[in-house]
Structures are given as C-alpha cells and as structure tokens.
Amino acid sequence: MDWIASAAFGLEGLVKRDLVRLGAQQVTVMNTGGVRFSGDVQAGFMANMWLRTADRVMLLIGEFEARSFEELYQGIRALPWQDYLPKDAAFPVRAQCARSQLMSPSDCQKITKKAIVDHLMDAYHVIHLPETGATFQLDVSIHQDRVTVAMDSSGAALSRRGYRTWNGEAPMRETLAAAVALSSPWRPSMAMHDPCCGTGTLLIESAFIALDRAPGLKRDFAMEGWPFVEKQDIARIRSEAEQRFAAGPERLMRITGSDIDPEAIELCKRHIVQAGLGGRIDLAVKDVRDLQLPRDAGMILTNPPYGARMGDRHVSQAVARQLGELMRRSPDWQLAAITADRSFEKAFGRRASKRRRLYNGRLECELMIFENHR
C-alpha cells in the first residue's frame, strides 16, 4: 500500500525522519507537500500512532491525469472501489484544486461522488447505495492536472491528541509544539523550562518525546473501522505503545514551566493530568523577571506572545527583553523561541545563532535559537 502523511509547510523533513525510524519503505518528500511512503496496514496505523508533526495519514487509492470533467469521471470510476468500500459505506468527498484545468472543488466533488456511486452499483449489482454503514472520508486533490485520490485513515486531525480540552489565549497546535521541540537543540537528557508556558502544549509535547510516549496513544483513528483492518494488529500496536510509555517513569525528566497568568497555569495543570503526566511537570506562577533557573545547563523553550498574534506589540517586545535578561543571568542555558515578531532580536538584545521558518496556522514565524557563549 502507498500512503501520504500530510504536513504543514516546513515540517516534511521531520515527518520523513519519523517515518524512516518507524520502518516505512520508499519514504519521499512530495513537491506538493507531505511525505509519501509504502507499507502495509500496520505501517499506516503506526504512522497515525507515532507521527508527531504530521496532520493526517491518507491511504492512496489512485493517481491519474485529468484535464476535463469527463477524464475525471472516467479516472475515478476505473479505481477498484469495491476493494475499500463495503456496500453500505458512507463516503463523503473533499476536493481541492490548484493550478489545473479543473478549478471548481464543488464540481470535482460531485463528479467524484457520482463516479464512485456508479462503480459500486455495478460492482455490487444494486440500484441504490444506502450509505448507512461506517464512514470513509475520501479526498481528491488536483494539482497541475494530476489527480490524487486518497482515503483519510486518521479521522480527526493528528494534532487532536485528546488532552487539550480547555484553551487559553492564542493556543499552539500540538503538531507545531512537537516541531519546535524537535527542531531545537533540546534533547530529552537536558533540563527544559518554558517561562511562557500558557496552557502547556509545548511542555506536554516535549514530555511525550522525553518519555517515548506515542502522541496518538489515547485517541481513535478512522482506519480502525475499515473492514480490511485486522483488529488484533491494531490492538498489538497500541499495546506495544502502552508498554513503551509505561517504562517512562524510570527515565529522568526535567521539564518545568511557569507563566505570569494564574488562570493559564490552572489550565496547564489540567492538561498535564489529562495527558497522563500528573506529577511529572513542575509549574509555577511567576513573572519572567523574577525567574531563576538552576545553575546546571539546560534549554529555555518557549512560545512567547507576539504582536501579530496577540494584538499587543508592546507586550511582545517587553517579553522579548525579559527573555534576553533571563538568558544573560542564566549563562549555561540556551534559548529557542518561536515568534512572528520581526523585532524580537532587537528587543532580546542579540541576534539568533540559528533560525528556522515555521508556520503557526497561516502565520509565518521563525524559530530563533540563541546559544550560550560559555
């Protein structure tokens, strides 16, 4: 089977690295975004369970060229739909078009639906499809006249880990938080502190990495309802992930957080408990100006407020100055901050040693890394 792991722009390299570690075959970054790989059903489920920075995992059904609605119809109808969809399947269709002769997503959606219905009625020798059974979400993407047809194996986006049920101001998506941790110099053996922790997404995703905890461990995936997926394989993979996390308490983890807002800290505590990390991450209500970090070397990893996101440029620059002061009084610590504020370095008081472009939704940001000089 061929699969596509979709990801936000700039995260494809992290997704590819994780897929290679999972043992996926023929892993390649696609020029249309995302990462393509090969593997059996178990490989698809492993990808859903373990990919930290991907948005969805799609099972590739077919690819072909189409420059007219007739070519689209014939190409869709020729695919082996009876291999995937039972007679009572519900199969909603999503469509997107870019730089192609066919540029109407709604028309492409309708034609795709009709072509599948016609195929299945012939295959099952019926004149009506009830669509009362399990749901199989289908995606049709047309880019430069190349049609890609896939089935969504994830269901809810992979960023929905299941632990964040309360949101503070400007919440950070879980996949982006994992990308920040993985792209920074921080490693699980190091101490880490987030001085602007908010509701805790960056702390929790870092702890998942440190404890080898699968990000999808406590949620379900759409492919678990597919008729050709063996339940015992799913149960085995989930049990193995549980066992890997169960070994986590034996590992030393030094992840802490603080925030000036007591309400944010209260929400952070709730999220930590829901993530199964109760008692593992120390929190404090504290202004960055009053923060004193341990003398041992560590990593300040944070998503500070920035004007473009929060609507208050002065707050953004004030926090940047405070973070610069924090690093100067913590000479053995490094700092990595994701920000959309172009004046961050000026307020911080230093130029970043390294930087990487990331996106918070559609907002272009930079992950700025400041190394210590000792």
Side-chain angles (χ1 to χ4, degrees), residues 55-250:
D55 291 329
R56 295 182 183 277
V57 177
M58 314 291 294
L59 174 60
L60 183 64
I61 305 298
E63 295 176 290
F64 56 90
E65 302 283 336
R67 294 175 177 82
S68 69
F69 289 131
E70 179 62 23
E71 289 178 345
L72 176 63
Y73 173 85
Q74 294 298 340
I76 295 290
R77 183 165 181 171
L79 297 174
W81 291 106
Q82 71 278 13
D83 292 346
Y84 303 99
L85 303 178
K87 185 163 55 176
D88 64 346
F91 47 98
V93 177
R94 292 185 294 234
Q96 57 180 353
C97 310
R99 301 177 185 176
S100 301
Q101 294 295 314
L102 303 178
M103 287 297 292
S104 170
S106 61
D107 287 336
C108 293
Q109 181 182 19
K110 293 173 185 175
I111 289 168
T112 297
K113 184 78 174 185
K114 175 173 171 51
I116 298 171
V117 168
D118 290 348
H119 177 107
L120 290 177
M121 286 196 301
D122 285 348
Y124 289 122
H125 308 290
V126 297
I127 60 172
H128 173 68
L129 297 173
E131 295 199 47
T132 55
T135 298
F136 299 77
Q137 178 65 59
L138 303 177
D139 276 46
V140 176
S141 175
I142 307 176
H143 184 264
Q144 295 182 340
D145 301 324
R146 183 73 176 172
V147 181
T148 301
V149 186
M151 192 157 70
D152 184 356
S153 73
S154 301
L158 295 181
S159 60
R160 303 292 182 88
R161 318 288 208 215
Y163 62 78
R164 195 172 76 182
T165 53
W166 301 278
N167 288 325
E169 192 171 7
M172 187 183 199
R173 185 176 294 181
E174 294 88 333
T175 45
L176 178 60
V180 168
L182 292 168
S183 301
S184 76
W186 174 77
R187 295 296 177 266
S189 59
M190 299 168 59
M192 190 273 271
H193 185 86
D194 182 354
C196 308
C197 70
T199 57
T201 308
L202 191 50
L203 293 174
I204 292 170
E205 292 298 322
S206 299
F208 282 177
I209 295 168
L211 297 173
D212 199 22
R213 197 269 205 190
L217 185 60
K218 296 299 183 182
R219 56 160 288 177
D220 298 324
F221 303 98
M223 67 180 297
E224 295 181 64
W226 294 356
F228 53 89
V229 174
E230 297 291 341
K231 305 299 183 186
Q232 60 267 30
D233 292 334
I234 299 301
R236 174 182 54 79
I237 294 170
R238 197 179 290 279
S239 176
E240 290 171 355
E242 290 273 11
Q243 291 171 20
R244 286 172 64 168
F245 179 49
E250 301 302 322

Side-chain angles (χ1 to χ4, degrees), residues 276-295:
L277 301 171
R280 305 299 303 276
I281 299 174
D282 291 331
L283 300 173
V285 177
K286 187 160 290 191
D287 192 309
V288 176
R289 291 170 293 189
D290 300 326
L291 187 60
Q292 295 293 330
L293 297 174
R295 298 185 65 178

Side-chain angles (χ1 to χ4, degrees), residues 309-326:
R309 182 187 61 163
M310 304 286 281
D312 191 339
R313 193 76 174 270
H314 298 296
V315 171
S316 169
Q317 293 178 350
V319 173
R321 284 194 296 272
Q322 293 165 16
L323 290 173
E325 294 167 1
L326 173 63

Side-chain angles (χ1 to χ4, degrees), residues 7-15 17-18 51-55 161 172-187 201-202 205-206 209 301 336 338 356-360 367 369:
F9 178 77
L11 301 187
E12 300 94 338
L14 293 173
V15 174
R17 186 177 69 182
D18 280 349
L51 290 182
R52 300 187 185 279
T53 57
D55 291 329
R161 318 288 208 215
M172 187 183 199
R173 185 176 294 181
E174 294 88 333
T175 45
L176 178 60
V180 168
L182 292 168
S183 301
S184 76
W186 174 77
R187 295 296 177 266
T201 308
L202 191 50
E205 292 298 322
S206 299
I209 295 168
L301 197 61
I338 180 171
R356 176 174 180 171
R357 186 193 308 175
L358 295 172
Y359 284 84
N360 190 356
L367 177 63
I369 298 170

